[in-house]
Amino acid sequence: MHRPPFFIPTLCLCALLSLLIGCAKKTTNVEYGNANQELFIGIGAEPATLDPHLLTGLTEYSVVMAFLEGLTTLDAESMRVRPGVAQSWEISEDGLTYTFHFNPKAKWSNGDPVTPEDFLFSFERILTPLLGAPYAYMLYPMRGAEAFHTGELTDFSKVGATAIDEYTLQIVLEQPTPYFLSLLAHNTWFPVHPPTILQHGGMTERISKWTKAGNYIGNGPFVLEDWRLNNRVYAVKSQHYHDTDSVKLNGIHFLPIDIETEERAFRTGHLHITESVPIHRIEWYRENSPETIHFATSLGVYYYMLNTEREPLNDPRVRKALAYSINREELTKHVLKAGQQPAYHFTPPNAGGYNAEARFPYDPDLARELLAEAGFPAGKDFPAFELLYNTSESHRTIAVAIQQMWKQELGIDIELHNQEWKAYLSTREAGEFDILRAAWFGDYDDPNTFLSLGETNNGNNHTNWSNAEYDALIKQAAVTLDPEARKAIFQKAETLLIDEMPVIPIYFYVTSRLIDDSVQGWYPSILDNHPYQAIELIGNE
Amino acid sequence: MFNLIARRLLQAIPTLWVVATATFLLLRLAPGGPFDDEKPLAPEIKEQIEAHYGLNLPLHEQYFAFLGNLLKGDFGPSYKYPGWDVQEIIAQAFPVSLELGLWGLLIALSVGIPIGTLAAIKHNTSTETGLMGFAMVGICLPSFVIGPILLLIFSLTLNWFNPLGWSYASDRVLPAVTLGLLYAAYIARLARSGMLDVLRHDYIRTARAKGLAERAVVIRHALRTALYPVVAYLGPAAAGLISGSFVVETIFFIPGLGPFFVNAALNRDYQMVMGTVLFYAVLIILFNLIVDIIQMWMNPRARHD
């Protein structure tokens, strides 16, 4: 009897595998993209939502700005305010009333005109408490917005937004807000298409299906063609966008790829732009391919938060000693390596044109003196305390380096402790920490988004630090119209902050990306804001 | 046969209930909630959102509401991805993981069984040592090591395969091999010990005494019994393989279910965790049932159990 050879299944499999070899795609994504003006861009993680009023992350924002446009937009290169849905505007002399004139060509992706009424609907939607929009406070500069959002005011017509006619929208502010026009380019101020929202569960339905491909109606340069989880969000050029001629790209593939995979994808020509660069690859690109690696300072600060209620951190001298004894140059050069800037004050450079003048030193001698004054000469009898960070390799590396510096310079032993993200958040909220790793990214391009963190009742101030003078300065800045006078107030606040040192700034963030040389019109941006209208792909045939 | 299936399905009900209840309670005990974030929500906003999902109700009411929905087959909306229902996410991602898992299973079996069998036949020779050493390496090397190594060789250097994606038939090869090798190593060890055990039995000696060729002895007489432990292992293994691997799917950028399992827990996406855990539990129960049926077919003695 003839029997099949013993290893037949294995042989079949080998044959099958060898058949598949070489069936790999012959053209890469980049080649295909350059020939068809389709951009392949890594976004790091799956966007949680494409609803402009519910999203909270930069990932989501970077996708949604392809689909929606606010009253104003930001210039890709200079980040100056440019017309969006509004083609022009007037500001009253007291700085309180803004009158916006709509571009008559502004259309939704189904051809409907974009009207002032649509904006009113959108403002009402995000401010209605029932929707639970996390960032609704971004609309608070508008008169009555806060009252409506907190339920004190229930009649939306009392809120300071009015449709004057079918092309004119007027917004009245609580108080002059110098950065108001750039705020309008933020996703919380984006319009949504009322009939679509109403058709999918109503104005305040969170769990709405309107964000799905096929349902999504936007007014931006692109429309949502396809959205598959952990796979891609695919945007194609809108035919109804008011400035459609200026849009060069025919499509954008947003790919939620993990950082290591992303780098491999870039290396093999499957991505035009990565979301980030793994630390261990930065050196290699710097040396071998400097034209593809791009760094941009971003509006973010990495810092340690001190619990100023606990001994000995309740003593400003101890807090300063800890801050002054960290060698930030060493940390950024040899540990972080991506060109991060050492932070000797809290507000990142050039936030809304503001550069902090206050500086604290790197001075281990002074630090030792301060510590001795506080009663701990050479770290003697210094109580044990803990540094808490959310579990991550890079936070651990930094914490270990700083632990070492404090040990060497001050003779202080600290314990490192890590918790996974949600547990870390809940510990922070409960204030059950000594020192805690934290970071803050600006919501808008202005020092206020950083310095208001030090206010006593700011929801993000977990340091228990409270200073009446500081609170008064921040309040004063909010009502100061003259930009220079306002900056001067922020300078005072910053000086006070680093003199009290409830937080220890460590470094200012940079973003690092790999960008294929076919990509034109991508500029470094402090808010990591890159309008897709400006991008064009120039392939080398 | 029908008795067995009916009995198993009945047993599945309390099992699933225990799994559901334990998961529900463990989730509520974990620190942090689904709506905690870097920038904390204003308390009144958080209340609104929690009310929206019924999280403001007393725990027992939440529990009964959850069980009620479960009976209707409704896992509810994801907290992390508003706009997506849990069953919608599973329906979109599971077919991909299923396909990847089946390829991985095929590789695991077609590599593992021959290696294990061969090692048993060549017992106490250098062939056995070599093969089992290979299997040991397979067990020790995690997929986040094997995956990038395979990628480096076959994709980045030889350019035979795409480094990521799930669009072409060839995109299945590297992930399936990465996934399959680990299981192949286990299967090889099980197959070897099963075969060694069987080869000592009297009926094998009888077969040999009848003058049968060694190949016939092994394949026709020994293999079926020798694979008994392998089949027992296949139940949970297959459920694990087809429900998605976080590591493999992340390395190769495959839109499967794996990352959702892990991220749902990290995000405290209660609904998504319940959905994925119960889905996995059902898969395990189902595959164990299939394994029992196969074992009955393989071993006539079990049929009267």
Side-chain angles (χ1 to χ4, degrees):
Chain A
M1 190 167 94
H2 180 74
R3 273 185 223 99
F6 185 45
F7 286 101
I8 254 206
T10 317
L11 288 175
C12 288
L13 193 77
C14 290
L16 183 69
L17 291 186
S18 52
L19 269 180
L20 287 172
I21 290 174
C23 294
K25 205 176 169 184
K26 289 291 184 279
T27 51
T28 64
N29 283 348
V30 167
E31 287 163 351
Y32 170 84
N34 290 352
N36 298 288
Q37 287 298 319
E38 296 207 3
L39 180 74
F40 289 81
I41 178 169
I43 53 173
E46 178 64 37
T49 175
L50 297 180
D51 187 324
H53 299 157
L54 295 181
L55 70 86
T56 56
L58 271 176
T59 302
E60 289 79 11
Y61 175 66
S62 70
V63 178
V64 161
M65 62 186 273
F67 304 129
L68 294 168
E69 183 177 272
L71 290 166
T72 64
T73 56
L74 299 177
D75 183 74
E77 193 171 0
S78 66
M79 283 291 123
R80 291 218 183 85
V81 173
R82 288 188 39 184
V85 170
Q87 58 182 358
S88 65
W89 49 83
E90 288 117 35
I91 309 169
S92 66
E93 261 174 37
D94 57 6
L96 286 178
T97 308
Y98 286 67
T99 310
F100 296 95
H101 304 286
F102 278 39
N103 187 333
K105 285 196 288 186
K107 295 263 171 27
W108 292 100
S109 52
N110 65 351
D112 290 354
V114 180
T115 67
E117 294 289 344
D118 296 340
F119 275 87
L120 295 186
F121 176 90
S122 308
F123 298 162
E124 181 173 355
R125 174 172 189 254
I126 187 171
L127 286 170
T128 301
L130 204 56
L131 183 72
Y135 273 30
Y137 66 81
M138 295 288 281
L139 276 80
Y140 284 4
M142 183 163 65
R143 178 171 292 169
E146 183 169 7
F148 185 80
H149 187 227
T150 50
E152 274 170 53
L153 183 69
T154 47
D155 179 3
F156 187 75
S157 65
K158 299 261 168 38
V159 175
T162 329
I164 306 285
D165 60 42
E166 76 186 293
Y167 292 113
T168 317
L169 175 71
Q170 196 175 64
I171 298 179
V172 182
L173 305 187
E174 281 294 342
Q175 57 198 19
T177 309
Y179 52 88
F180 183 64
L181 286 174
S182 59
L183 206 55
L184 292 176
H186 189 269
N187 54 276
T188 47
W189 288 89
F190 282 174
V192 290
H193 186 238
T196 304
I197 301 289
L198 294 173
Q199 194 193 329
H200 293 95
M203 187 193 251
T204 56
E205 180 57 57
R206 280 181 71 82
I207 321 171
S208 166
K209 305 273 181 213
W210 82 269
T211 49
K212 292 291 177 59
N215 300 342
Y216 205 103
I217 302 284
N219 69 332
F222 295 88
V223 290
L224 176 62
E225 175 73 18
D226 185 28
W227 180 12
R228 293 183 60 81
L229 288 171
N230 278 358
N231 190 348
R232 67 166 186 178
V233 175
Y234 180 38
V236 297
K237 185 174 176 175
S238 167
Q239 296 312 313
H240 291 283
Y241 182 57
H242 60 79
D243 197 11
T244 187
D245 293 340
S246 74
V247 181
K248 312 285 194 315
L249 293 176
N250 291 322
I252 309 174
H253 302 254
F254 297 98
L255 307 178
I257 315 185
D258 170 76
I259 178 166
E260 299 279 346
T261 310
E262 189 181 60
E263 195 265 335
R264 276 196 293 272
F266 182 82
R267 227 187 314 164
T268 46
H270 286 81
L271 267 189
H272 283 106
I273 303 176
T274 66
E275 203 262 342
S276 188
V277 187
I279 293 184
H280 62 93
R281 295 294 297 169
I282 287 179
E283 211 92 318
W284 189 90
Y285 278 98
R286 270 227 176 99
E287 277 167 27
N288 298 292
S289 185
E291 68 286 353
T292 50
I293 189 159
H294 295 248
F295 301 101
T297 47
S298 74
L299 208 55
V301 57
Y302 187 105
Y303 66 102
Y304 282 167
M305 209 183 258
L306 306 175
N307 189 343
T308 61
E309 240 169 31
R310 293 203 177 167
E311 282 188 28
L313 298 172
N314 56 354
D315 185 335
R317 289 170 300 191
V318 173
R319 305 202 290 258
K320 281 186 193 169
L322 293 174
Y324 296 176
S325 53
I326 298 173
N327 188 344
R328 292 168 178 76
E329 303 282 343
E330 167 110 10
L331 204 61
T332 50
K333 266 215 186 83
H334 300 298
V335 179
L336 301 161
K337 296 179 190 168
Q340 286 87 346
Q341 287 190 50
Y344 297 104
H345 49 81
F346 188 68
T347 312
N350 213 12
Y354 163 91
N355 283 294
E357 284 155 11
R359 293 270 187 290
F360 60 84
Y362 164 57
D363 188 343
D365 292 327
L366 182 58
R368 276 186 286 273
E369 252 172 62
L370 286 165
L371 200 64
E373 267 177 48
F376 309 103
K380 203 166 156 287
D381 301 328
F382 200 85
F385 70 95
E386 257 184 18
L387 168 59
L388 174 68
Y389 56 92
N390 55 302
T391 313
S392 126
E393 193 49 34
S394 64
H395 299 331
R396 195 188 66 85
T397 315
I398 294 169
V400 168
I402 289 178
Q403 178 189 41
Q404 191 65 21
M405 290 173 191
W406 282 342
K407 169 91 183 148
Q408 257 170 18
E409 303 290 359
L410 304 176
I412 290 177
D413 272 313
I414 60 160
E415 266 177 57
L416 302 185
H417 192 60
N418 74 87
Q419 288 181 342
E420 110 351 275
W421 181 239
K422 292 282 184 178
Y424 154 92
L425 289 174
S426 112
T427 310
R428 179 173 87 177
E429 192 65 26
E432 286 163 358
F433 63 89
D434 300 318
I435 298 189
L436 174 121
R437 171 266 150 192
W440 189 259
F441 285 88
D443 289 326
Y444 44 94
D445 192 9
D446 190 88
N448 190 57
T449 179
F450 288 91
L451 291 172
S452 61
L453 283 185
E455 278 187 294
T456 303
N457 45 19
N458 186 297
N460 298 301
N461 180 1
H462 304 287
T463 62
N464 296 313
W465 180 71
S466 164
N467 185 303
E469 194 189 341
Y470 188 89
D471 293 353
L473 283 170
I474 300 298
K475 288 214 166 56
Q476 195 194 339
V479 295
T480 305
L481 203 49
D482 175 54
E484 290 311 311
R486 192 162 166 274
K487 278 179 196 163
I489 299 170
F490 282 128
Q491 296 287 6
K492 272 195 210 166
E494 186 109 32
T495 310
L496 189 59
L497 188 72
I498 65 170
D499 194 45
E500 286 273 320
M501 206 69 87
V503 292
I504 302 181
I506 295 173
Y507 69 84
F508 298 120
Y509 278 91
V510 291
T511 51
S512 49
R513 289 175 185 270
L514 300 170
I515 302 179
D516 190 82
D517 54 13
S518 60
V519 178
Q520 309 290 313
W522 178 282
Y523 304 96
S525 154
I526 194 166
L527 289 171
D528 214 3
N529 187 318
H530 308 278
Y532 301 108
Q533 295 94 303
I535 295 176
E536 185 173 5
L537 301 169
I538 312 279
N540 25 354
E541 300 299 311
Chain B
M1 180 76 93
F2 280 115
N3 269 346
L4 173 93
I5 296 174
R7 207 167 61 219
R8 283 311 182 79
L9 291 180
L10 276 177
Q11 281 169 352
I13 294 169
T15 310
L16 288 175
W17 174 73
V18 169
V19 169
T21 308
T23 314
F24 181 88
L25 289 176
L26 282 172
L27 273 175
R28 307 300 152 129
L29 287 175
F35 304 109
D36 293 337
D37 209 343
E38 174 86 55
K39 302 187 178 178
L41 296 174
E44 61 275 10
I45 306 283
K46 202 167 162 183
E47 270 167 38
Q48 287 294 348
I49 297 178
E50 290 185 343
H52 207 294
Y53 293 107
L55 291 171
N56 55 342
L57 301 172
L59 202 57
H60 66 273
E61 281 183 39
Q62 289 185 40
Y63 174 68
F64 288 116
F66 155 72
L67 281 188
N69 286 334
L70 207 57
L71 288 178
K72 284 184 266 166
D74 179 10
F75 288 128
S78 158
Y79 293 159
K80 170 75 181 175
Y81 305 104
W84 293 86
D85 294 331
V86 173
Q87 49 265 58
E88 205 176 359
I89 295 175
I90 293 178
Q92 200 179 86
F94 177 61
V96 175
S97 290
L98 176 68
E99 192 196 330
L100 172 59
L102 289 178
W103 286 115
L105 189 63
L106 183 68
I107 287 178
L109 289 175
S110 48
V111 173
I113 293 177
I115 285 185
T117 314
L118 198 62
I121 299 170
K122 308 274 181 191
H123 190 41
N124 287 335
T125 65
S126 55
T127 312
E128 187 197 18
T129 320
L131 287 173
M132 284 300 105
F134 174 75
M136 205 59 211
V137 170
I139 289 175
C140 294
L141 278 185
S143 41
F144 61 81
V145 175
I146 296 183
I149 290 178
L150 291 178
L151 272 170
L152 189 68
I153 299 173
F154 296 104
S155 176
L156 299 180
T157 310
L158 296 173
N159 205 14
W160 287 357
F161 301 104
N162 291 324
L164 76 167
W166 193 251
S167 316
Y168 301 87
S170 65
D171 289 345
R172 273 68 175 162
V173 177
L174 294 184
V177 170
T178 308
L179 194 60
L181 278 187
L182 175 71
Y183 289 88
Y186 277 108
I187 288 174
R189 289 172 63 84
L190 289 171
R192 172 184 161 274
S193 55
M195 183 59 79
L196 278 180
D197 192 42
V198 171
L199 288 179
R200 281 190 214 108
H201 278 300
D202 289 343
Y203 75 92
I204 297 295
R205 197 179 306 144
T206 312
R208 281 184 182 144
K210 283 197 306 187
L212 278 180
E214 185 65 15
R215 178 193 281 169
V217 173
V218 171
I219 297 181
R220 296 200 54 199
H221 296 271
L223 199 59
R224 199 157 100 169
T225 320
L227 290 186
Y228 211 69
V230 172
V231 172
Y233 167 71
L234 277 186
L241 271 164
I242 65 167
S243 58
S245 152
F246 175 74
V247 177
V248 173
E249 289 175 4
T250 304
I251 292 178
F252 293 95
F253 186 49
I254 295 168
L257 201 51
F260 289 105
F261 271 89
V262 177
N263 290 332
L266 293 178
N267 292 329
R268 305 286 189 273
D269 190 340
Y270 296 157
Q271 311 271 53
M272 191 69 205
V273 175
M274 299 305 307
T276 44
V277 165
L278 284 173
F279 183 68
Y280 187 51
V282 168
L283 282 183
I284 290 200
I285 290 172
L286 200 67
F287 275 89
N288 278 334
L289 178 60
I290 294 175
V291 161
D292 283 344
I293 294 170
I294 294 178
Q295 282 184 331
M296 270 173 32
W297 167 77
M298 286 172 74
N299 181 359
R301 273 175 297 183
R303 278 175 218 166
H304 305 289
D305 184 17

